[in-house]
């Protein structure tokens, strides 16, 4: 446990994202991460109210660069059979000109048999994001949901249909960033040996979905249900940056990459059976850069990490 969690902590310390969204966290792991000698001196740890056991979700917030606005929100999924919930917190950049951002994470109901409940949970989560962005006066300028969503493309399409007009403006970050094939599969038994599977399975369980007015709803940006079709049409092993042509201001994803693909030294296993996601964003009035070295402003990072490699993973 300690070796794997320290490997995840090293990834976070190396990339220094503004926030890290964690799933399947257990108390000993969180205690280790929040130690001042590990990440506690740099990150505030946000957990659900009355977190369920054996594991739950958590959000790490950069203490110097982010300011938390109000108390975190915990939205239990009332019909969950696995104690799942949505954890959300509103933040703003210290000294930045971007508006407030709602960060949310969830570990949606696991296994194929629980598709109905999982779709219900995703629907509830996306509606929570939309309500935050559409409040008058607007409470936040953008909102994102990142986590081990356990979701399949056909389930996303069904949720998109159920949302109706409420689906407008939502985008899948991986698709928005050009659907890079090399960064597609977050649970891959052909590359990750932690599960010890004797079968080949590649899925995109871990996703980041977002709504950012002027960015995610711009002409030419694919919506949630179009993610699979866009991936087939535009996937490229070298595509890592946003291809949308919109010039709206606001929170804008710029790139996405997989994390945790190196085995822990001396252990012979990966930090988790899921790959993590690291994303770069620009915000405010700066135009998005086509490459990091040409950025008008430094890129802002968010990480999504599943620590299930340190515990028994029900998703397996």
């Amino acid at each position: 446990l300690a070796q794997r969690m320290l490997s995840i902590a090293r990834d976070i310390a190396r990339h220094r994202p503004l926030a890290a969204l964690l799933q399947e966290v257990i108390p000993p792991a969180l205690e280790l991460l929040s130690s001042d000698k590990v990440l506690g001196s740099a990150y505030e740890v946000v957990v659900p109210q009355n977190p369920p056991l054996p594991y739950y979700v958590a959000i790490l917030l950069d203490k110097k660069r982010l300011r938390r606005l109000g108390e975190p929100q915990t939205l239990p999924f009332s019909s969950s059979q696995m104690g799942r919930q949505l954890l959300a917190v509103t933040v703003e950049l210290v000294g930045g000109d971007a508006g407030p951002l709602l960060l949310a994470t969830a570990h949606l109901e696991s296994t194929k048999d629980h598709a109905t409940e999982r779709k219900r949970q995703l629907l509830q989560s996306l509606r929570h994001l939309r309500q935050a962005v559409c409040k008058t006066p607007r409470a936040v300028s953008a909102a994102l949901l990142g986590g081990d969503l356990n979701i399949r493309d056909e389930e996303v399409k069904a949720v998109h249909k159920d949302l109706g007009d409420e689906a407008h403006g939502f985008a899948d970050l991986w698709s928005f960033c050009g659907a890079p094939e090399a960064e597609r599969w977050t649970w891959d038994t052909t590359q990750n040996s932690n599960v010890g599977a004797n079968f080949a399975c590649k899925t995109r369980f871990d996703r980041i979905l977002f709504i950012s007015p002027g960015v995610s709803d711009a002409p030419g940006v694919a919506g949630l249900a179009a993610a699979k079709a866009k991936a087939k049409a535009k996937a490229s092993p070298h595509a890592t940056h946003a291809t949308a042509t919109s010039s709206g201001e606001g929170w804008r994803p710029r790139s996405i990459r997989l994390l945790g693909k190196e085995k822990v030294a001396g252990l012979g296993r990966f930090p988790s059976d899921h790959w993590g996601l690291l994303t770069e964003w620009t915000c405010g009035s700066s135009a998005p850069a086509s490459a990091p070295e040409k950025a008008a402003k430094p890129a802002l990072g968010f990480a999504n990490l599943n620590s299930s490699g340190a515990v028994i993973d029900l998703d397996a």
Side-chain angles (χ1 to χ4, degrees):
L1 170 64
Q3 285 176 281
R4 295 182 192 176
M5 294 312 301
L6 287 174
S7 178
I8 290 174
R10 279 191 290 269
D11 266 340
I12 295 174
R14 182 183 303 119
H15 297 288
R16 282 306 303 269
L18 286 173
L21 313 177
L22 308 176
Q23 301 86 48
E24 297 198 44
V25 177
I26 59 175
L30 196 61
E31 183 178 355
L32 178 62
L33 288 178
S34 59
S35 167
D36 285 344
K37 294 182 178 180
V38 184
L39 295 176
S41 61
Y43 286 91
E44 175 188 2
V45 179
V46 177
V47 298
Q49 188 176 34
N50 301 318
L53 295 177
Y55 55 73
Y56 43 89
V57 296
I59 300 176
L60 305 183
L61 302 175
D62 188 299
K63 290 181 177 180
K64 292 184 178 180
R65 295 183 293 161
L66 286 182
R67 181 183 297 110
R68 179 162 56 84
L69 303 177
E71 294 300 315
Q73 294 178 287
T74 301
L75 283 77
F77 297 129
S78 58
S79 52
S80 172
Q81 298 180 35
M82 303 177 184
R84 305 296 166 84
Q85 70 288 126
L86 178 75
L87 176 64
V89 61
T90 301
V91 298
E92 67 178 0
L93 275 174
V94 174
D97 60 356
L101 172 69
L102 179 72
L103 297 170
T105 189
H107 179 206
L108 300 188
E109 212 81 352
S110 306
T111 75
K112 190 174 183 179
D113 293 342
H114 290 87
T116 299
E117 173 60 23
R118 184 165 49 250
K119 288 184 288 186
R120 185 183 297 117
Q121 293 171 1
L122 181 59
L123 185 70
Q124 181 180 345
S125 300
L126 294 180
R127 280 179 169 159
H128 182 75
L129 266 62
R130 171 166 286 285
Q131 288 170 5
V133 171
C134 294
K135 281 184 178 178
T136 304
R138 182 175 293 171
V140 300
S141 59
L144 70 84
L145 167 67
D148 177 6
L149 305 185
N150 281 309
I151 206 77
R152 284 75 167 170
D153 287 331
E154 62 271 17
E155 295 170 5
V156 174
K157 185 175 181 180
V159 171
H160 183 277
K161 183 178 180 180
D162 289 342
L163 281 170
D165 291 342
E166 292 179 287
H168 177 71
F170 279 106
D172 184 309
L173 190 146
W174 174 76
S175 180
F176 185 92
C177 290
E181 187 64 23
E183 319 299 334
R184 185 175 188 175
W185 309 116
T186 66
W187 199 76
D188 183 355
T189 63
T190 69
Q191 299 295 321
N192 192 314
S193 56
N194 278 24
V195 176
N198 58 0
F199 56 89
C201 181
K202 297 181 179 183
T203 62
R204 199 160 65 90
F205 284 153
D206 308 83
R207 306 188 185 202
I208 299 176
L209 311 177
F210 74 102
I211 180 169
S212 182
V215 176
S216 60
D217 56 357
V221 176
L224 294 180
K228 185 174 182 180
K230 182 172 181 177
K232 289 181 178 179
K234 304 190 72 172
S236 165
H238 305 296
T240 56
H241 300 295
T243 57
T245 58
S246 63
S247 58
E249 299 177 1
W251 290 91
R252 172 188 298 274
R254 198 175 71 183
S255 67
I256 184 170
R257 56 171 290 197
L258 299 178
L259 284 181
K261 302 188 75 171
E262 295 180 2
K263 290 185 176 181
V264 179
L267 194 61
R269 303 192 72 188
F270 296 99
S272 170
D273 62 331
H274 292 243
W275 305 137
L277 295 172
L278 179 68
T279 69
E280 289 186 331
W281 297 63
T282 56
C283 64
S285 57
S286 295
S290 59
E293 63 271 18
K294 296 181 181 178
K297 285 187 175 181
L300 305 168
F302 295 99
N304 180 74
L305 302 160
N306 186 306
S307 60
S308 61
V311 299
I312 298 174
D313 183 12
L314 296 181
D315 296 325

